[in-house]
Amino acid sequence: MRLVDYWEFSVPVFKRHIPRTLLLTLAIAIGVCSVILLTSLGEGARRFIEQEFSSLGADLLIILPGKKETQGGAPPIYGTTTRDLTLEDVQAIEHISTIDKIAPIIAGTALITFQNRSREVITMGSTPAIFPIRDLTLGEGRALPENSSTQHVPVIVLGSKIKKELFGNQSAVGEWVRAGDYRFRVIGVLEERGESLGLDLRDMAIIPVRSAEMLFNSPALFRVIIQLSQSNSEAYTEQRIRKIIAERHEGKDDISFVSQDSILSAFNSIMLTVTAVVGAIAAISLVVAGVLIMNVTYISVAQRRHEIGLLKALGATGLQVKRIFIGEALLLTTAGSVIGMLLAFSGIEFVRWYWPDFPIAATWWAVISAIVTAFIMGALFSWLPAAKASKLDPILAMRGFS
Amino acid sequence: MILLKDVCKTYELGETPLKALDHVNLSINPGDYLSVMGPSGSGKSTLLNMIGLLDRPDSGELYINDIATHSLIEEERAKLRQNNIGFIFQSFHLIPRLTALENVEVPLMLSKTPKHERREQSMKILEQLGISSRADHLPKQLSGGQLQRVAIARALLMKPSILLADEPTGNLDSRSGSEVIELLEKFNQEGITLMMVTHDVQLGSRAPRKLQIIDGKLSEVEKHHAFS
């Protein structure tokens, strides 16, 4: 039989069993669609993170206290710090020519109280440089004063959510709040904004770094964020900083660096893995579709025993009979894949329209693997029933016996 | 030329094995007209299937045009069946979703003949059988006699050397039955070997060579007499 003959021989079969054909096509379409759609969401998330990073602007370098071999993974959870990184260390390095801005950070949680309302809040001690570096904008009021790194100034900038929870709709700027044992005057409120790098900035408070030293009763810096004045100067800057810090820490090289690039590539590889895993999970629906194909092919073989016996009596080989049934399964797989792709791409267009900020995108490898998987399932699961058909005894089959 | 030597076939049905063919020896010359009669379950159909290469003997030899079919693989047997053997069944066995013409075409489709060529050949044979006006009808729109003519057209399409008919009139009224038989006999006179299984004595006696099977044992009822 030639290819066009298989087509003409099988299409009337589908026309005779329209509900069955449609349901099977739908099952395959859903499988293909879910693989493409879910991996596209994963890819979108990856691009979203990439965008977030690049929106931070210039090259960032982060210094963490403690020595840790790192390729840009998460910062150390428990301290291996031999010696604290302090504000004095930061002052010693801030004159390096390649450093544009430098923001030391001390972080902790503090109970912030206004009148009878209080909230446990992540409080970050820093300098005014943190605002441009983390791309923070003020909804009202002003940022931290310039002398944040030299002296305790009792001022605080609140995240928008905290402000709302403590003050409601009333104006916060100029009011005094209590944080731990100290009183701070609210000088600014951050602009309403989504999450940034997994940190909900609406739920934070920022105070001068010296004040944080007092509040948390420790000079140890959580980290130092540096914005470089020119790109590709990371290695040079890192080397200079290591040298200066080592001199100040009795010769010990006890700090670690994380660059924006290394974080980005770490996120990238994590997201790719997540996307692939999500795709693989979605591919389970293709296996389910495959089982359906097997079931329907078995039914078809049983219903067409006469026909199979006849074809063999007319000189069809077992191979030809097998090809007819596998071919029918693959035809349905093709239809299902095309419909699934159309569904997936319209789904992607819908997400684009509904959520324009999210850079959802279909990846070619996901589309190809979805379709290849569908075809493997189609061939694999129709194989058994087709082989059964090819082995039917023509005489018994024509008489309707098994 | 078809030659069976000591062909045996036993079916395991339940506890007692059923001897469908018991050391059958038979030689069929080109152009012969044979009828095979016998009670049901005696092995008539088994003999037909054996010669039609749909079944394999347990022991013995079967030659078709000097080809030792018992030593062929399945694919080769299918090929031989396609080119040399035409089947006609009691219940016609047309594919319900295909038109009369498409049903006739199936053997040519299996042998990869291009479409326009198969259309042409199939139409020609339908014309020959006087049912070309029904070419585009589905089987359910045809009468029994017409269905059997379509089946005969399909069997003759590949110009087989032997036509095997299993109760070809079993599902037909007497008038269309005799029409079908006359048609088959006409093709036999044109040189095709015709072998017909039937339990209808009147029908069986029309054949110059009458075979009888009882419990798997084949015997010739009469010596063939001159065919005039």
Side-chain angles (χ1 to χ4, degrees):
Chain A
M1 281 171 90
R2 301 177 318 157
L3 216 54
V4 59
D5 296 333
Y6 283 109
W7 168 264
E8 288 184 353
F9 192 76
S10 296
V11 167
V13 177
F14 301 143
K15 284 188 186 153
R16 270 171 85 89
H17 302 283
I18 287 174
R20 185 169 92 186
T21 307
L22 287 184
L23 285 175
L24 198 54
T25 312
L26 183 68
I28 299 162
I30 289 172
V32 170
C33 176
S34 53
V35 172
I36 297 177
L37 212 52
L38 288 178
T39 49
S40 299
L41 285 171
E43 173 69 8
R46 192 186 68 79
R47 292 189 184 188
F48 186 73
I49 288 170
E50 210 171 60
Q51 264 178 22
E52 280 287 291
F53 269 99
S54 50
S55 75
L56 294 180
D59 308 61
L60 290 187
L61 195 61
I62 299 168
I63 310 175
L64 306 170
K67 186 71 191 166
K68 185 170 178 281
E69 293 303 322
T70 173
Q71 264 81 46
I77 293 167
Y78 49 88
T80 49
T81 319
T82 50
R83 192 178 162 144
D84 291 336
L85 192 61
T86 62
L87 274 175
E88 284 64 39
D89 292 328
V90 171
Q91 277 156 6
I93 60 174
E94 69 189 354
H95 302 295
I96 295 174
S97 60
T98 49
I99 294 178
D100 179 26
K101 297 188 179 71
I102 185 160
I105 295 173
I106 292 175
T109 53
L111 191 69
I112 296 185
T113 313
F114 174 70
Q115 290 169 353
N116 55 352
R117 281 177 243 179
S118 53
R119 287 273 281 112
E120 187 88 12
V121 175
I122 297 172
T123 306
M124 197 163 83
S126 193
T127 61
I130 192 72
F131 289 85
I133 288 176
R134 290 300 298 265
D135 200 21
L136 302 176
T137 42
L138 287 156
E140 52 180 314
R142 52 195 169 82
L144 295 181
E146 283 304 324
N147 57 358
S148 293
S149 61
T150 51
Q151 64 192 83
H152 164 57
V153 191
V155 294
I156 190 165
V157 175
L158 296 176
S160 58
K161 191 174 160 197
I162 292 302
K163 183 257 162 191
K164 219 166 265 166
E165 283 175 0
L166 290 179
F167 293 92
N169 289 328
Q170 127 189 34
S171 169
V173 176
E175 299 292 338
W176 287 84
V177 294
R178 174 164 282 281
D181 296 332
Y182 300 88
R183 274 156 55 81
F184 293 89
R185 199 155 66 91
V186 178
I187 54 164
V189 176
L190 291 177
E191 199 171 61
E192 176 86 36
R193 189 184 160 207
E195 287 192 14
S196 170
L197 304 183
L199 208 57
D200 193 351
L201 292 166
R202 293 169 301 176
D203 212 0
M204 282 183 72
I206 304 171
I207 56 175
V209 66
R210 282 291 180 200
S211 311
E213 226 174 26
M214 279 170 48
L215 181 62
F216 299 122
N217 197 21
S218 158
L221 292 178
F222 173 59
R223 61 182 59 182
V224 178
I225 303 180
I226 293 168
Q227 184 159 6
L228 299 170
S229 58
Q230 62 202 78
S231 50
N232 300 324
S233 55
E234 285 162 23
Y236 168 77
T237 313
E238 198 177 314
Q239 189 196 340
R240 287 287 308 272
I241 293 171
R242 274 194 199 284
K243 192 157 166 272
I244 293 168
I245 299 292
E247 274 167 16
R248 295 179 53 84
H249 290 191
E250 291 118 24
K252 287 211 176 75
D253 178 19
D254 57 1
I255 51 171
S256 304
F257 287 85
V258 176
S259 68
Q260 189 191 1
D261 282 352
S262 60
I263 297 177
L264 191 54
S265 72
F267 263 115
N268 253 334
S269 66
I270 291 168
M271 286 314 295
L272 278 177
T273 313
V274 169
T275 305
V277 167
V278 165
I281 291 170
I284 290 173
S285 61
L286 279 174
V287 178
V288 175
V291 173
L292 248 144
I293 289 174
M294 181 148 82
N295 196 0
V296 166
T297 312
Y298 265 125
I299 292 170
S300 189
V301 168
Q303 283 177 342
R304 288 155 73 190
R305 313 190 80 82
H306 285 154
E307 177 186 324
I308 296 164
L310 173 76
L311 288 174
K312 290 186 117 183
L314 294 178
T317 59
L319 189 65
Q320 279 177 322
V321 171
K322 204 190 272 182
R323 277 189 190 152
I324 287 173
F325 286 95
I326 294 177
E328 284 174 14
L330 290 183
L331 264 179
L332 289 182
T333 310
T334 310
S337 300
V338 169
I339 294 170
M341 268 167 70
L342 289 178
L343 283 178
F345 285 116
S346 16
I348 288 169
E349 283 308 312
F350 176 77
V351 172
R352 279 201 186 123
W353 167 80
Y354 189 76
W355 193 8
D357 288 341
F358 189 71
I360 188 168
T363 56
W364 61 268
W365 56 266
V367 175
I368 290 174
S369 47
I371 289 167
V372 168
T373 312
F375 273 86
I376 290 173
M377 290 303 153
L380 208 65
F381 282 97
S382 58
W383 192 269
L384 271 179
K388 187 185 167 200
S390 75
K391 289 197 188 89
L392 275 184
D393 182 326
I395 296 305
L396 292 180
M398 271 190 284
R399 287 185 188 150
F401 297 120
S402 54
Chain B
M1 175 79 174
I2 294 166
L3 197 61
L4 284 84
K5 278 188 191 166
D6 279 331
V7 170
C8 292
K9 181 78 187 179
T10 308
Y11 290 114
E12 301 290 338
L13 285 177
E15 285 170 19
T16 47
L18 177 73
K19 281 204 167 172
L21 295 177
D22 191 358
H23 294 93
V24 168
N25 288 290
L26 179 64
S27 143
I28 304 171
N29 292 314
D32 269 4
Y33 178 8
L34 309 89
S35 66
V36 185
M37 312 234 292
S40 29
S42 58
K44 300 190 300 280
S45 298
T46 309
L47 179 66
L48 211 60
N49 297 333
M50 203 62 75
I51 295 173
L53 302 179
L54 290 177
D55 213 340
R56 274 175 186 275
D58 293 338
S59 64
E61 296 168 4
L62 168 60
Y63 298 89
I64 292 180
N65 297 336
D66 294 328
I67 299 167
T69 64
H70 45 272
S71 56
L72 294 179
I73 61 162
E74 202 48 51
E75 311 290 284
E76 291 167 328
R77 287 160 61 88
K79 191 97 198 135
L80 198 62
R81 184 156 66 224
Q82 186 173 64
N83 293 322
N84 291 290
I85 292 153
F87 275 101
I88 295 159
F89 309 96
Q90 178 177 358
S91 46
F92 323 126
H93 282 302
L94 299 180
I95 299 173
R97 62 176 182 276
L98 302 182
T99 65
L101 182 67
E102 284 165 344
N103 264 293
V104 174
E105 276 183 318
V106 168
L108 280 175
M109 185 179 80
L110 292 172
S111 71
K112 297 183 180 155
T113 311
K115 190 162 182 170
H116 61 276
E117 224 170 285
R118 12 188 241 247
R119 278 277 125 102
E120 207 175 299
Q121 290 186 33
S122 311
M123 267 321 273
K124 212 157 86 187
I125 207 148
L126 282 176
E127 273 164 32
Q128 221 176 326
L129 291 172
I131 44 165
S132 54
S133 60
R134 305 282 179 193
D136 294 328
H137 290 214
L138 289 173
K140 62 180 177 204
Q141 300 164 318
L142 299 175
S143 70
Q146 288 166 336
L147 289 172
Q148 197 58 299
R149 279 164 193 261
V150 174
I152 291 171
R154 182 179 62 194
L156 289 171
L157 186 69
M158 301 299 285
K159 302 187 175 62
S161 50
I162 180 163
L163 215 47
L164 300 175
D166 189 3
E167 304 274 11
T169 61
N171 280 352
L172 299 177
D173 60 68
S174 58
R175 216 196 80 206
S176 30
S178 54
E179 275 173 17
V180 162
I181 291 300
E182 278 160 23
L183 201 57
L184 291 175
E185 285 173 352
K186 185 181 135 231
F187 285 108
N188 171 245
Q189 276 160 22
E190 287 169 11
I192 294 178
T193 311
L194 177 61
M195 186 169 181
M196 186 159 60
V197 163
T198 182
H199 58 255
D200 181 338
V201 183
Q202 207 190 334
L203 194 60
S205 60
R206 290 172 72 120
R209 258 185 100 178
K210 302 170 196 55
L211 306 176
Q212 194 171 44
I213 281 196
I214 293 169
D215 292 339
K217 290 197 194 304
L218 185 76
S219 57
E220 205 121 349
V221 174
E222 283 170 47
K223 290 292 157 207
H224 29 145
H225 44 87
F227 195 73
S228 48

